Amino acid sequence: MKFKKLTTLVICGAMALSLAACGSGGSSSSGSASSSAASSASASASAKSEAVTSSSSSGAGESVSSGSSASAASRPDLSGKDLSGLKLGMAFRHGSNDTYMTSYFQHMKNYAKTVGVDLVLLDAVDDVTKQTNQVQDLIQQKCDVIMIWPVNSESSVAQAKSVQQAGIPCLMCNSNVTDDGIDYTVGFVGPDDYTEGYNAAKQAMTDLGSSAKGAKVLFVEGVNGQQQAQARKEGMQKAVEEAGGTFVDSQTSEGKREKAQQVAENWLVKYPSKGDITAIMTFDDNTAVGVYNAVKAAGREGEFPIWAAATGDYSIISGYIKDGKIAGASLQSPITESETALDWACWIALGNDLPSKSVFIDTPVITKENFDQVDQGNFEKLI
Amino acid sequence: MKKVTKFLSVNTSIPILIGIMIIATILDVSFLAPGNLFNVFNQNAIKGIMAIGMSFVILNGFFDMSLCTLLSLTAALACGLQPKIGVAGAVLVALLVGLLVGIINGLLVAYVGINAFVVTLALMLGCRGFAYIYPDEQSISATSDAFRAFGTGKLGPLTYISWLYIIGLLIAHYVLRYTSHGRNTYAAGGNASAAENAGINVRKTIFINFVICGVLSGLGGVLYAAQNGASTPALGWPDMHMLVIAGVVLGGTKLSGGYGNIWYSLIGVMILGVVNNIMSITNAQPWVSTFCTGAIMIAVLIADKFLSDARARAGLKN
């Protein structure tokens, strides 16, 4: 009896330790878009919002997707084309994970109806096994093109291969396969994560002026191993170092606002004096809000700028970037990204090729100075 | 005809599966295409293999929650160790980890006497931790082409994994029906104290069944890694164990133990698979699938209760 009680106590203790040891885990570790910054935020194709700071969204060499990239914001001319006979399939990562993905998912559905194409849109709810099954279902349904926003970049290699083996073009959206799967796909439509990070950080360093040289920058990472988060970090770091600054510290937020706030709170204790921190940069807008909350609670608002690599959530853009609480970010529109992806999928289904292996969408840098140029119609407010 | 009616009233999951398939065909006739039906089987073969292991435990009157994270850990090991010790070595280590988890579960439940829910929950959390710590929270691609080829290859209309599932079903049927361990499982699950009094080593039976479940859950992780060509830390989280248990119970195996068979698990898993397939064909939201699964489970359990009561009353009248 005593041994039984002791063992029960030990097990409960082990459970407690296991909970402490567990990472946040969450979604797959690479490839998929994360949180509300989402992958690409691009201004509408009519390009009203050309940012004050130029940001070419064409691949800056070390982009997520390999191969050459088309110029930003290009969309095919589908006028006069009969799309009613086309059947498209999309295996989507998670239709309700965050504001960006929800907007993308809902708009993709509506836009398909608007252009008159038959779109089978399946939601894997971040389950890689479900997505594998859904890709098989789309193959069975004999789609003309299958689009995949992967739950996991490594696992999507096998998925893309099975689509190609079925004789169907496979188009990756928002997050790409890993390099060994590129040949199974016809291409990628989405953001250039590296360039987003680079452009946002470059603008940040420009705005710092003389403080840029020797700048001490703290960086909040996304989920460990996630390709998109990694690419944005590399882009930001490159721009910071080019301007003479350094990443003094870099920690994971596990993709969560609350964790980002905790990380920032610890930093504010570790670097207590004015001048200890030149800027804080984050991999997305959601975590930037977490950092801002910590900074505000510590009463150090305005001491240094907070920059995000990318933003795709209008509530954050209007609530934080508009009045400078978050200094700026590369702008992504789930509306434009989803429409661009669907347009190119139709183009491929009509028997054409992508202009290049990667089609990156426009992601201009937004700050409070050019906030007026943000077209609210490019984002959807969710109730 | 009377025999058929009696057969169907005892094995209620069969008419339910047939009914769901009829509804699916009405919603979209392409459901009945042979390619689609084989597709459903192939998609659910790995769940089916894990359901075999779970069936042994449920027939014994318990269940195993550690499945959902154990498979993530074994998937990571099967991929991560390939470059170091080769694919055979990596798979063997992964299965040994499944065996170890099964042994721990079995020892604590059978010999120490701790509640299975607590034990397997603890192992679930422990495996989840290791499933993130070992691969450093990253996905790991499988380096072996043979490994990947096995995961996606086909023999005829069925995948290699599906054929493995069929072999597993036949072996499990033989063990449950024709071996002493199988008989002991049913006896211990039906009435443990009566089984003990009859001279059955109930603790050993429970222990072996948890080991079987651990190994097959670990195998499930290895097969998912082969099928996907990679492991992900979140594989199976948060509810793979619930789906596998649901498949076993939906088929007609009683959670209280002592009643059911391996073919019930096959039917139960296929019911879940067909529901998911209909959702894909009809482009429905994933939450509709979850709702339908829950509704079907309740309907099955209510129908089963009524029929059991009716049979009992018929028995009393006679």
Side-chain angles (χ1 to χ4, degrees):
Chain A
M1 196 62 183
K2 271 189 186 170
F3 180 62
K4 193 170 161 182
K5 280 187 185 169
L6 178 63
T7 317
T8 309
L9 277 170
V10 168
I11 288 172
C12 291
M15 281 163 66
L17 278 171
S18 306
L19 281 166
C22 284
S24 65
S27 58
S28 63
S29 56
S30 77
S32 16
S34 61
S35 58
S36 43
S39 327
S40 345
S42 70
S44 65
S46 55
K48 284 188 268 184
S49 52
E50 291 309 323
V52 168
T53 50
S54 65
S55 57
S56 162
S57 56
S58 56
E62 295 159 72
S63 59
V64 172
S65 318
S66 60
S68 61
S69 54
S71 59
S74 56
R75 282 163 76 159
D77 181 9
L78 295 172
S79 51
K81 303 268 192 288
D82 179 16
L83 305 178
S84 56
L86 300 180
K87 183 165 185 170
L88 305 181
M90 184 168 193
F92 198 83
R93 181 193 154 190
H94 195 320
S96 50
N97 190 46
D98 59 32
T99 315
Y100 190 93
M101 283 190 222
T102 309
S103 296
Y104 187 119
F105 185 83
Q106 297 297 335
H107 190 69
M108 182 65 109
K109 245 197 289 188
N110 297 333
Y111 185 64
K113 285 192 191 127
T114 308
V115 302
V117 70
D118 180 10
L119 172 69
V120 181
L121 183 55
L122 302 178
D123 184 352
V125 288
D126 247 357
D127 183 344
V128 68
T129 64
K130 206 178 190 88
Q131 187 165 71
T132 301
N133 288 347
Q134 287 174 343
V135 168
Q136 291 302 320
D137 288 337
L138 292 173
I139 292 172
Q140 279 298 317
Q141 292 183 50
K142 298 188 175 22
C143 296
D144 296 312
V145 172
I146 291 176
M147 297 179 275
I148 303 177
W149 178 330
V151 172
N152 178 275
S153 282
E154 275 90 355
S155 299
S156 63
V157 172
Q159 293 163 7
K161 187 176 178 186
S162 63
V163 172
Q164 189 198 56
Q165 281 177 342
I168 300 171
C170 179
L171 179 67
M172 303 305 295
C173 298
N174 184 279
S175 300
N176 213 345
V177 279
T178 50
D179 286 346
D180 52 352
I182 292 288
D183 290 341
Y184 301 132
T185 69
V186 296
F188 167 82
V189 176
D192 183 350
D193 300 302
Y194 178 90
T195 302
E196 280 181 331
Y198 180 85
N199 289 343
K202 190 170 173 188
Q203 183 60 47
M205 299 309 279
T206 305
D207 289 353
L208 281 174
S210 55
S211 305
K213 205 165 176 65
K216 288 168 278 192
V217 178
L218 303 173
F219 185 77
V220 176
E221 300 172 6
V223 176
N224 270 343
Q226 197 181 52
Q227 223 174 7
Q228 176 201 58
Q230 185 62 29
R232 287 184 186 175
K233 179 188 173 181
E234 284 169 10
M236 290 195 116
Q237 191 163 17
K238 177 90 175 162
V240 164
E241 286 170 359
E242 273 178 3
T246 48
F247 272 11
V248 167
D249 202 345
S250 175
Q251 291 195 31
T252 181
S253 64
E254 293 153 9
K256 293 193 167 73
R257 186 184 290 196
E258 312 76 49
K259 179 80 181 174
Q261 185 168 340
Q262 277 173 28
V263 166
E265 283 164 359
N266 294 338
W267 279 338
L268 292 168
V269 170
K270 191 176 172 186
Y271 304 101
S273 309
K274 195 171 173 169
D276 286 346
I277 305 172
T278 316
I280 296 184
M281 296 184 183
T282 72
F283 93 106
D284 80 346
D285 53 356
N286 190 38
T287 45
V289 171
V291 169
Y292 171 77
N293 291 341
V295 168
K296 186 179 174 190
R300 292 174 72 172
E301 211 176 333
E303 194 180 303
F304 47 78
I306 301 169
W307 280 82
T311 177
D313 183 341
Y314 190 76
S315 64
I316 293 179
I317 296 165
S318 58
Y320 293 85
I321 296 181
K322 184 178 177 187
D323 50 13
K325 290 173 185 164
I326 294 174
S330 290
L331 187 69
Q332 289 188 213
S333 162
I335 308 303
T336 309
E337 192 191 339
S338 54
E339 288 186 7
T340 307
L342 193 78
D343 284 351
W344 283 114
C346 292
W347 184 254
I348 295 165
L350 290 168
N352 305 302
D353 294 325
L354 282 180
S356 66
K357 197 76 178 181
S358 299
V359 176
F360 294 126
I361 60 173
D362 212 3
T363 52
V365 176
I366 288 295
T367 63
K368 71 175 183 186
E369 275 80 30
N370 65 343
F371 170 78
D372 292 343
Q373 295 181 30
V374 174
D375 180 0
Q376 189 179 345
N378 279 332
F379 302 86
E380 275 176 346
K381 280 189 183 170
L382 299 173
I383 298 162
Chain B
M1 188 61 194
K2 215 176 167 183
K3 269 188 180 173
V4 172
T5 315
K6 192 178 175 196
F7 176 80
L8 291 177
S9 70
V10 170
N11 304 291
T12 46
S13 53
I14 296 175
I16 285 172
L17 176 62
I18 294 170
I20 290 172
M21 290 176 73
I22 292 170
I23 293 170
T25 310
I26 292 168
L27 287 170
D28 193 321
V29 73
S30 66
F31 169 78
L32 265 192
N36 188 58
L37 293 174
F38 284 120
N39 191 31
V40 172
F41 191 88
N42 289 332
Q43 285 173 345
N44 291 282
I46 301 178
K47 276 205 193 78
I49 288 171
M50 296 191 292
I52 291 173
M54 189 67 74
S55 297
F56 276 86
V57 170
I58 289 180
L59 283 168
N60 210 159
F62 302 97
F63 53 81
D64 186 352
M65 308 245 292
S66 59
L67 177 153
C68 84
T69 50
L70 172 58
L71 63 97
S72 170
L73 176 58
T74 55
L77 289 166
C79 291
L81 293 174
Q82 280 179 22
K84 298 186 180 74
I85 58 174
V87 64
V91 170
L92 185 63
V93 170
L95 292 177
L96 285 172
V97 167
L99 178 76
L100 179 64
V101 170
I103 287 172
I104 296 172
N105 281 332
L107 282 174
L108 292 175
V109 174
Y111 291 100
V112 182
I114 299 170
N115 183 279
F117 179 86
V118 172
V119 169
T120 57
L121 178 64
L123 269 295
M124 177 176 91
L125 294 172
C127 288
R128 177 159 159 83
F130 282 117
Y132 277 87
I133 291 169
Y134 167 70
D136 203 20
E137 299 182 39
Q138 310 227 13
S139 294
I140 307 176
S141 289
T143 51
S144 163
D145 290 338
F147 184 72
R148 292 193 207 213
F150 179 81
T152 53
K154 279 183 167 180
L155 185 64
L158 295 176
T159 58
Y160 295 138
I161 294 174
S162 292
W163 286 111
L164 190 64
Y165 177 36
I166 291 169
I167 293 167
L169 283 167
L170 293 168
I171 294 172
H173 171 75
Y174 177 82
V175 169
L176 283 171
R177 187 78 182 269
Y178 299 107
T179 67
S180 57
H181 176 72
R183 287 190 291 276
N184 294 345
T185 297
Y186 281 104
N191 189 329
S193 42
E196 193 88 53
N197 291 338
I200 291 171
N201 191 338
V202 169
R203 292 179 187 217
K204 184 178 159 191
T205 306
I206 296 170
F207 175 79
I208 292 172
N209 286 329
F210 271 103
V211 167
I212 292 171
C213 190
V215 171
L216 290 179
S217 303
L219 177 62
V222 171
L223 294 173
Y224 272 124
Q227 186 184 71
N228 295 325
S231 68
T232 62
L235 180 69
W237 182 263
D239 60 1
M240 182 65 82
H241 60 294
M242 296 308 299
L243 295 174
V244 170
I245 291 171
V248 174
V249 171
L250 255 180
T253 299
K254 294 206 188 315
L255 211 52
S256 51
Y259 182 87
N261 62 55
I262 210 67
W263 306 108
Y264 282 175
S265 303
L266 166 66
I267 295 166
V269 168
M270 289 306 135
I271 287 175
L272 291 179
V274 166
V275 170
N276 280 326
N277 187 247
I278 302 170
M279 297 302 129
S280 289
I281 290 175
T282 57
N283 208 359
Q285 296 281 349
W287 312 117
V288 176
S289 165
T290 313
F291 171 79
C292 286
T293 305
I296 291 167
M297 269 191 86
I298 291 172
V300 163
L301 294 169
I302 291 174
D304 186 61
K305 178 82 171 81
F306 276 124
L307 288 166
S308 300
D309 288 349
R311 281 198 297 277
R313 280 196 299 273
L316 283 171
K317 274 185 190 164
N318 293 336

